[in-house]
Amino acid sequence: MQGGSSGIGYGLKYQARCISDVKADTDHTTFLTGTLTLKEENEVHLIRISSGGTELVCEGLFSHPNEIWDLASCPFDQRIFSTVYFTGESYGAAIWQIPELYGELNSPQLEKITPIGENVGKIKCILWWPSGKHDKLISIDEENLSLWSLDNMPRKAIQILSQESAGMYHFSGGAWDPHDVNAIAATSESSLQFWDLRTMKKTNSIERSRVRNVDYNPKKQYILVTAEDESGVCLWDLRKPKTPIQELSGHTHWSWAVKYNPEYEGLILSSGTNSTVNLWWADEFTSERLVDSPTRANHLNPLLHSYIDYEDSVYGLAWSCREPWIFASLSYDGRVVVESVKPFLSRK
């Protein structure tokens, strides 16, 4: 169940926390990642799996002016992405465009299309709707949830449509519901909150401390997964939100990131500060069978595999949408590892 890395690696020059699948690139399996150094010029790397599948190739290397704390590729344009960055004094965010001639030996610089939320607080993340082209964007900072219009981008700076205060809560991140363009989940210090973007009002909440990450099940409405400091990884059914439908306790320290597979229902990745990536197969049906028949627990162990060949905390996870049996992980020391989970799919 445990094992070292059998994947292919790629090293960044500096420390890093975030990696994103380039979903809009339907011809290649591609990832974007960015570095986190305060004293040096930061970098954005566009990396692809080679045609033979044996190495990771840098297709573009671009300077980024500040350390990158969040990075997300636009799901409908492979040359556009967003970053949240720290200048050393304040946080900011922007949408960038990769130049067309990025494959040239001397790569042109990134084009900054527009800043996001210049006059807001400590911005945490930018959310693109994951289910296709959409004309809106969400930014989450500590104090506010903001909805932006993407009309006329990149010819015109994006415009804020509405904004709502977090009130007594401090937002830390969130996820956009792939089944409902008007619904998002937002994490905070003491709860997981659900918001309606039409009214910009909170519709429900789950009292939960230190939820680090949240992701919706793309194949099944109402189901989501959280990564938490104290409880590890938890599955939730929003129709029965009082308690998690399943708790997955495979991390010995803080669980930091969690991602549902885009194609294989119930397949989940999690990572954390124990320098481990766990591969799970877990859904509400698995948990029901375990409750009904505890003696079958060994046969229904949701942990498929633990990848333990890391030397630092793993903050970044990304499934490939083009090849959904492939994922990329990013540890804080700047090491990208791409793995295939094909050997474990037959065990589901």
Side-chain angles (χ1 to χ4, degrees):
M1 193 166 294
Q2 289 189 348
S5 173
S6 58
I8 50 179
Y10 178 91
L12 305 180
K13 191 175 180 180
Y14 306 115
Q15 295 172 328
R17 298 179 70 100
C18 43
I19 190 166
S20 175
D21 171 46
V22 183
K23 184 177 182 179
D25 186 353
T26 57
D27 297 322
H28 310 90
T29 300
T30 313
F31 300 95
L32 266 177
T33 183
T35 62
L36 187 76
T37 174
L38 191 56
K39 295 182 179 180
E40 306 293 340
E41 187 79 8
N42 281 277
E43 299 173 343
V44 172
H45 292 242
L46 179 68
I47 53 180
R48 286 177 178 163
I49 299 179
S50 64
S51 57
T54 57
E55 60 180 330
L56 289 172
V57 179
C58 181
E59 291 290 330
L61 176 60
F62 312 99
S63 295
H64 187 281
N66 305 111
E67 57 181 22
I68 301 169
W69 283 82
D70 176 74
L71 183 151
S73 179
C74 172
F76 53 84
D77 189 325
Q78 64 180 345
R79 292 174 51 214
I80 293 177
F81 66 97
S82 60
T83 62
V84 171
Y85 51 82
F86 182 59
T87 66
E89 297 180 352
S90 61
Y91 283 82
I95 297 177
W96 307 84
Q97 182 167 272
I98 296 172
E100 287 190 31
L101 299 177
Y102 62 84
E104 299 293 328
L105 185 60
N106 296 317
S107 294
Q109 293 301 302
L110 295 171
E111 178 188 350
K112 189 175 184 178
I113 297 177
T114 180
I116 303 172
E118 288 185 297
N119 299 316
V120 298
K122 187 178 179 181
I123 194 163
K124 293 293 187 175
C125 67
I126 301 297
L127 302 180
W128 304 80
W129 192 50
S131 295
K133 189 167 185 178
H134 188 51
D135 62 354
K136 296 180 178 63
L137 191 75
I138 294 171
S139 67
I140 297 177
D141 64 75
E142 275 194 340
E143 307 295 336
N144 301 288
L145 175 68
S146 305
L147 186 67
W148 303 82
S149 170
L150 293 178
D151 286 346
N152 300 316
M153 190 192 77
R155 296 182 299 276
K156 181 181 176 183
I158 66 174
Q159 303 293 315
I160 191 165
L161 295 175
S162 54
Q163 187 177 74
E164 183 60 36
S165 170
M168 61 181 289
Y169 301 99
H170 280 166
F171 288 139
S172 57
W176 204 333
D177 189 341
H179 307 283
D180 185 350
V181 73
N182 295 307
I184 76 157
T187 59
S188 73
E189 292 178 347
S190 58
S191 66
L192 179 63
Q193 302 180 23
F194 302 93
W195 290 72
D196 188 324
L197 297 177
R198 292 166 297 190
T199 61
M200 295 300 283
K201 299 297 182 183
K202 186 173 67 173
T203 59
N204 202 357
S205 65
I206 298 172
E207 299 304 313
R208 206 74 177 172
S209 62
R210 295 294 181 182
V211 176
R212 296 285 180 179
N213 198 212
V214 60
D215 196 31
Y216 283 90
N217 185 331
K219 294 295 183 181
K220 189 160 292 185
Q221 195 172 4
Y222 308 116
I223 306 300
L224 53 77
V225 62
T226 54
E228 306 177 16
D229 279 4
E230 297 180 2
S231 301
V233 177
C234 294
L235 269 67
W236 300 87
D237 185 335
L238 298 184
R239 296 163 296 186
K240 301 175 287 185
K242 290 186 178 181
T243 57
I245 55 177
Q246 193 170 2
E247 296 188 15
L248 310 174
S249 54
H251 293 281
T252 57
H253 205 247
W254 295 343
S255 300
W256 199 273
V258 66
K259 296 291 181 186
Y260 264 110
N261 186 279
E263 185 62 34
Y264 299 105
E265 187 176 330
L267 201 61
I268 298 169
L269 285 172
S270 66
S271 66
T273 51
N274 66 331
S275 306
T276 299
V277 173
N278 283 335
L279 176 68
W280 310 89
W281 179 58
D283 58 25
E284 70 275 27
F285 300 111
T286 308
S287 57
E288 287 171 5
R289 289 195 297 268
L290 286 172
V291 171
D292 294 340
S293 181
T295 59
R296 297 180 61 198
N298 290 335
H299 301 290
L300 292 174
N301 186 352
L303 182 60
L304 295 179
H305 191 69
S306 291
Y307 301 88
I308 60 174
D309 192 22
Y310 297 93
E311 297 181 0
D312 212 332
S313 300
V314 182
Y315 293 119
L317 291 173
W319 286 106
S320 166
C321 286
R322 180 175 175 269
E323 296 182 286
W325 55 87
I326 287 176
F327 75 88
S329 59
L330 174 66
S331 50
Y332 188 59
D333 54 9
R335 181 168 172 249
V336 177
V337 178
V338 170
E339 301 270 6
S340 171
V341 303
K342 271 188 175 180
F344 307 103
L345 295 179
S346 60
R347 303 182 190 180
K348 291 174 53 192

